[in-house]
């Protein structure tokens, strides 16, 4: 029996355990959708699947509470599928294995799926409990929040009647969500004719691993190492000083995750292999630890023997690709001028794949300023810089999608009180200043219904997961 079944509140942990038996990575939601519909049917709860893949549930009010406002409980069903390099877990078929580590519930060598499985488990616990007294309830469980916001952006009109929406995709009690950054995927691709390796050369695989990774909207301000960016530095050195040639590259697998590992296959003259290994495992390891050691205590870069590849990237294209990776901005680009501790614009060099005559880059750009994200009016705007880099590298660029941004907080007007008023579905309720924290994350919030309006604010301005600091991730 799973250890988490002994935890309280029992109903939430029991339902979270059930969810973790069902694969639900973003983009592969058929199993979890059917599970939720079957669960609702077993509990005699009205439910439906809309055209965007969202699951909706409806529960009538308790007797005598039919005149209360309709409350909509909202979370998302998909999870980020990340695992350790040695894990054999298949996110499309295998359940998540949980264990208890002191005060924390963790997953064995994978992401846990608490984002946003705990929200869905909470919704299930509320809907199955007939002892609760409540007004009319709706559940809105959205699809593919972690990747494209597809469920929210394509939700059917007229299916929700709620007067009050409770978004459960947050982690800190007492925080008020009043805005967010938007995001745009920038994808660049190039197809090319490969060339044969030089006779007598040897092949090596350079592997950079052990990094912390993290969410590019929550931890981008912490200065964590990006495996693709730092491997580009090492590969450029190998090309310049050890006559190396690039055969393959693989780094990162999720657009919203800071890549924690990357590897490249190189060929080079046999007499240079030992010197390259020494430079990488001694000099580069030392330099990277000097730069990142405090925040990346497990950083490791290694050179391993590799079978000779059958093809290489042509030299001119190789140089252009590496130069583009070096020039591509990664990390915080700009802070909000009137709230200088909060990130306004950033980019994450998320995925790099070079193999078999094809190069593929994906970068996630975030900003809470529409002019920077969408219109390219800032001279340092990544939305303009990245396509130019792609063009210089000989690649074609294409935008994938953009997620809606919420306007950032403004300065409190002179003479206003420290009370905060938040609008949900157009209604405004005063919330006391004392004991509240105002949050504007550097990541899109889940529901268009959360277009919260800030009239005046007081107290701390903090970011989720940036504990004991006032800087936003």
């Amino acid at each position: 029996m799973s250890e988490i079944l002994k935890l309280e509140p029992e109903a939430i942990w029991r339902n979270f355990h059930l969810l973790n038996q069902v694969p639900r990575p973003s983009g592969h939601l058929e199993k979890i959708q059917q599970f939720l519909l079957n669960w609702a049917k077993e509990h005699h709860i009205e439910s439906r699947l809309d055209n965007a893949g969202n699951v909706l549930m409806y529960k009538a009010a308790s007797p005598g509470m039919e005149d209360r406002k309709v409350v909509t409980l909202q979370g998302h069903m998909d999870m980020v599928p990340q695992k350790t390099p040695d894990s054999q877990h298949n996110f499309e078929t295998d359940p998540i294995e949980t264990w208890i580590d002191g005060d924390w519930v963790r997953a064995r060598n994978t992401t846990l799926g608490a984002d946003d499985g705990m929200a869905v488990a909470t919704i299930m616990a509320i809907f199955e409990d007939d002892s609760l007294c409540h007004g009319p309830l709706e559940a809105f469980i959205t699809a593919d929040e972690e990747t494209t916001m597809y469920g929210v952006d394509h939700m059917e009109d007229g299916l929700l009647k709620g007067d009050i929406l409770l978004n459960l995709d947050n982690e800190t009690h007492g925080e008020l969500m009043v805005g967010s950054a938007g995001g745009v995927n920038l994808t660049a691709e190039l197809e090319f004719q490969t060339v044969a390796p030089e006779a007598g050369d040897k092949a090596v695989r350079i592997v950079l691993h052990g990094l912390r990774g993290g969410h590019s909207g929550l931890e981008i301000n912490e200065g964590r190492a990006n495996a693709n960016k730092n491997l580009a530095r090492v590969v450029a050195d190998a090309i310049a000083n050890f006559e190396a040639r690039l055969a393959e590259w693989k780094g990162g697998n999720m657009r919203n995750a800071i890549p924690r590992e990357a590897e490249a296959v190189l060929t080079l003259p046999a007499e240079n292999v030992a010197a390259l290994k020494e430079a990488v495992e001694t000099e580069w390891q030392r330099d990277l630890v000097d730069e990142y050691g405090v925040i990346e205590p497990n950083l490791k870069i290694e050179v391993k023997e590799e079978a000779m590849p059958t093809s290489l990237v042509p030299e001119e294209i190789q140089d252009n690709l590496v130069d583009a990776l070096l020039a591509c901005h990664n990390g915080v680009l700009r802070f909000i001028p009137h709230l200088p501790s909060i990130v306004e614009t950033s980019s994450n060099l998320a995925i790099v794949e070079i193999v078999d005559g094809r190069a593929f880059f994906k970068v996630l750009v975030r900003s809470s300023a529409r002019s920077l994200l969408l219109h390219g009016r800032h001279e340092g705007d990544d939305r303009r810089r990245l396509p130019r880099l792609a063009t210089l590298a000989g690649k074609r660029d294409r935008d994938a999608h953009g997620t809606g941004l919420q306007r950032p907080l403004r300065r409190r007007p002179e003479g206003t009180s420290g009370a905060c008023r938040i609008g949900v579905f157009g209604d405004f309720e005063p919330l006391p200043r004392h004991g509240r924290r105002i949050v504007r994350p550097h990541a899109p919030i889940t529901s268009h219904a959360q277009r919260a309006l800030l009239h005046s604010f007081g107290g701390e301005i903090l970011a989720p997961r940036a504990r004991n600091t006032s800087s936003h991730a």
Side-chain angles (χ1 to χ4, degrees), residues 210-214 219 222 224-225 258-260 294-298:
L211 305 182
R212 295 174 66 189
E219 283 97 11
E222 296 184 9
R224 298 185 183 187
I258 301 169
R260 66 179 67 190
V294 174
I295 197 168
E296 300 286 3
N298 299 315

Side-chain angles (χ1 to χ4, degrees), residues 227-241:
N228 284 323
K229 283 293 292 184
N230 285 286
L231 183 60
R233 299 165 62 191
V234 177
V235 170
D237 180 38
I239 291 171
N241 297 308

Side-chain angles (χ1 to χ4, degrees), residues 318-360:
Q318 157 200 281
D319 294 344
N320 288 342
L321 292 175
V322 174
D323 285 347
L325 291 174
L326 290 170
C328 178
H329 184 273
N330 180 81
V332 176
L333 179 65
R334 191 170 187 255
F335 290 86
I336 298 177
H338 59 277
L339 292 170
S341 63
I342 300 178
V343 176
E344 178 194 73
T345 305
S346 72
S347 63
N348 177 43
L349 179 55
I351 301 172
V352 177
E353 295 177 358
I354 303 173
V355 65
D356 296 334
R358 176 178 178 267
F360 175 89

Side-chain angles (χ1 to χ4, degrees), residues 281-342:
E281 296 187 346
T282 300
E283 297 174 20
W284 274 109
Q285 175 72 29
R286 180 196 63 219
D287 291 346
L288 293 174
V289 168
D290 285 346
E291 295 172 17
Y292 295 104
V294 174
I295 197 168
E296 300 286 3
N298 299 315
L299 183 154
K300 185 75 173 178
I301 187 164
E302 301 175 284
V303 178
K304 303 178 180 181
E305 294 184 3
E306 180 71 18
M308 180 62 68
T310 58
S311 62
L312 302 177
V313 181
E315 191 167 4
E316 180 180 356
I317 293 175
Q318 157 200 281
D319 294 344
N320 288 342
L321 292 175
V322 174
D323 285 347
L325 291 174
L326 290 170
C328 178
H329 184 273
N330 180 81
V332 176
L333 179 65
R334 191 170 187 255
F335 290 86
I336 298 177
H338 59 277
L339 292 170
S341 63
I342 300 178

Side-chain angles (χ1 to χ4, degrees), residues 14-201:
R14 170 171 44 80
N15 284 304
F16 183 64
H17 173 72
L18 290 175
L19 288 171
N20 275 349
Q21 307 313 299
V22 185
R24 49 193 173 92
S26 301
H28 303 276
L29 301 180
E30 298 83 2
K31 294 179 180 178
I32 190 63
Q33 289 162 338
Q34 192 59 54
F35 166 81
L36 291 170
L37 295 173
N38 291 342
W39 179 90
K41 183 177 181 179
E42 291 171 5
H43 289 80
H44 309 289
I45 295 168
E46 180 186 355
S47 66
R48 64 166 295 169
L49 184 71
D50 76 0
N51 292 337
N54 304 307
V55 172
L56 297 100
M57 300 181 189
Y58 308 90
K59 188 171 184 179
S62 302
M65 303 188 72
E66 294 85 357
D67 61 342
R68 304 300 176 92
K69 290 184 176 182
V70 179
V71 174
T72 304
L73 303 175
Q74 188 268 319
H76 62 86
M77 67 185 79
D78 60 313
M79 65 173 285
V80 175
Q82 292 270 290
K83 61 183 180 179
T84 59
D86 57 338
S87 172
Q88 300 300 311
H89 187 89
N90 185 333
F91 282 99
E92 296 181 31
T93 59
D94 299 341
I96 300 295
E97 184 181 354
T98 58
W99 62 290
I100 297 176
D101 178 19
D103 292 334
W104 295 90
V105 173
R106 303 188 185 278
R108 295 196 185 279
N109 302 318
T110 68
T111 39
L112 178 62
D115 177 8
D116 199 21
M118 288 301 288
V120 180
T122 300
I123 292 171
M124 294 166 67
I126 292 171
F127 269 67
E128 73 180 8
D129 190 347
D130 292 329
S131 70
L132 296 176
C133 294
H134 55 80
L137 295 178
E138 299 177 331
F140 183 42
I141 305 174
T142 61
D144 288 332
E145 185 271 353
E146 295 289 358
T147 52
T148 64
M149 292 278 188
Y150 185 88
V152 167
D153 286 341
H154 297 84
M155 62 182 290
E156 293 183 47
D157 292 337
L159 297 183
L160 295 177
K161 307 297 183 183
D163 302 292
I164 300 170
L165 181 138
L166 299 179
N167 172 263
L168 305 180
D169 192 4
N170 199 13
E171 63 186 41
T172 306
H173 180 70
E175 288 183 343
L176 305 176
M177 199 75 66
V178 295
S180 72
V184 172
N185 290 338
L186 296 178
T187 302
E189 297 177 276
L190 174 68
E191 294 181 356
F192 53 86
Q193 293 293 323
T194 60
V195 297
E198 294 289 334
D201 279 3

